[in-house]
Amino acid sequence: MPGYFSWLTRPTEIFKCLGTHCPGGPPGACEGGRLGPTCHDCAAGMYWADEECRTCEVSMVAAWIVGPFVLLLVMITAYYVTEDRYKARAALRECATIGGDMLLAFLQNLGILSLVSVPLPETLNMLFEWSSLFVLNLRSLGFSCTVRDGMQQYVISSISFLIVVVAFPLLGYVTQFCSCMRNRGWNWRFYKTICVTGKFLQSCFTLMCNIGLAPFMCFRHPNGSRSIFRYPNTFCGSAEHGTMQLFGVLVLVLSFTHFI
């Protein structure tokens, strides 16, 4: 039956598929080259894009390796462009920053709506698919080319927030020992560093809540087992699920620290 999957060796053990990648027919059938009990993953060395599994390119893997260094540059830039004083009248740069934060929040909300399985016009589907990148739905960007396992993908996505929060004060601490930066007044000040860190947490609040709650949303298969909604090939109650819940709680706690 379309929308369901069973193994060739266990044809009576039925799994429910999310989406249209389980065509039905003989046991073990998946569309687009997908694998797993819910036809959610691609084979090793491949990623999901344009409704099919595509071969990972060297440039895509290299981009994911360079990505952390780009993030580091963005963090350093964020400190120097952030206003460190309150003013009676907002400057143009501050207004642009506020507008950018509002746009980011809007795109994150659209990305969350893209996770809802409802039929939409093609133009809206393209918009929602693009906005899903802002909730770290990185499948179409080849995240599986570097990290294939769903649990590992989730852990890396979760721990990236903690790394950024720790990296900000660490960078500020390092600048205090660089005489060339102190002489030019480029060393980071403590309160401004805390302010920038809080601003990051505030901007990513919706995203962090979405990621933190992901391992706690499961759906049931006809055979009685349950899968995580965002990671259908990971079963609820498994050791991988427990690890994901642990990091989910960590992200949720971290997301509320900017209120302190």
Side-chain angles (χ1 to χ4, degrees):
M1 179 182 295
Y4 294 88
F5 175 92
S6 65
W7 296 110
L8 186 61
T9 55
R10 301 189 299 273
T12 59
E13 188 176 354
I14 309 300
F15 298 90
K16 181 180 180 179
C17 300
L18 301 178
T20 60
H21 308 297
C22 294
C30 289
E31 288 186 346
R34 288 195 167 199
L35 303 172
T38 60
C39 297
H40 185 263
D41 296 330
C42 293
M46 305 188 77
Y47 71 101
W48 183 256
D50 297 330
E51 299 300 318
E52 64 178 357
C53 289
R54 295 187 172 185
T55 303
C56 296
E57 301 175 359
V58 177
S59 59
M60 186 170 291
V61 178
W64 280 106
I65 296 175
V66 174
F69 298 98
V70 176
L71 177 60
L72 178 62
L73 180 61
V74 171
M75 291 171 58
I76 295 173
T77 304
Y79 175 86
Y80 291 109
V81 301
T82 300
E83 292 283 350
D84 58 348
R85 294 183 178 87
Y86 289 105
K87 298 179 180 179
R89 297 180 60 183
L92 178 61
R93 184 173 62 180
E94 187 175 357
C95 291
T97 302
I98 295 173
D101 289 340
M102 295 175 64
L103 177 61
L104 178 61
F106 173 72
L107 292 174
Q108 289 176 353
N109 289 327
L110 281 184
I112 293 175
L113 289 176
S114 70
L115 302 176
V116 181
S117 299
V118 294
L120 295 169
E122 185 63 27
T123 53
L124 287 180
N125 277 329
M126 294 177 60
L127 175 62
F128 283 133
E129 182 177 354
W130 179 76
S131 61
S132 67
L133 299 177
F134 293 89
V135 290
L136 294 189
N137 184 10
L138 305 175
R139 287 185 303 164
S140 61
L141 295 182
F143 192 26
S144 58
C145 293
T146 53
V147 183
R148 183 170 180 268
D149 182 69
M151 187 270 288
Q152 294 177 356
Q153 291 180 8
Y154 180 80
V155 169
I156 291 175
S157 299
S158 302
I159 206 171
S160 60
F161 297 103
L162 179 61
I163 291 175
V164 172
V165 170
V166 172
F168 269 120
L170 184 61
L171 285 171
Y173 184 76
V174 170
T175 60
Q176 303 302 321
F177 293 92
C178 183
S179 58
C180 60
M181 297 190 72
R182 288 202 311 270
N183 295 336
R184 293 176 172 82
W186 293 351
N187 56 309
W188 291 17
R189 293 188 295 275
F190 174 78
Y191 290 108
K192 185 176 179 181
T193 303
I194 298 300
C195 178
V196 174
T197 305
K199 186 174 180 62
F200 165 78
L201 292 171
Q202 182 183 19
S203 299
C204 296
F205 177 74
T206 302
L207 170 60
M208 295 174 70
C209 288
N210 178 59
I211 291 178
L213 290 172
F216 298 95
M217 295 184 288
C218 300
F219 68 95
R220 187 176 297 277
H221 297 286
N223 59 17
S225 60
R226 296 182 301 153
S227 288
I228 301 176
F229 181 78
R230 291 277 298 276
Y231 302 88
N233 283 349
T234 301
F235 293 98
C236 298
S238 63
E240 293 81 3
H241 181 226
T243 302
M244 294 172 70
Q245 286 184 320
L246 176 62
F247 280 91
V249 171
L250 178 63
V251 171
L252 289 174
V253 171
L254 188 63
S255 67
F256 284 95
T257 56
H258 79 275
F259 289 110
I260 300 176

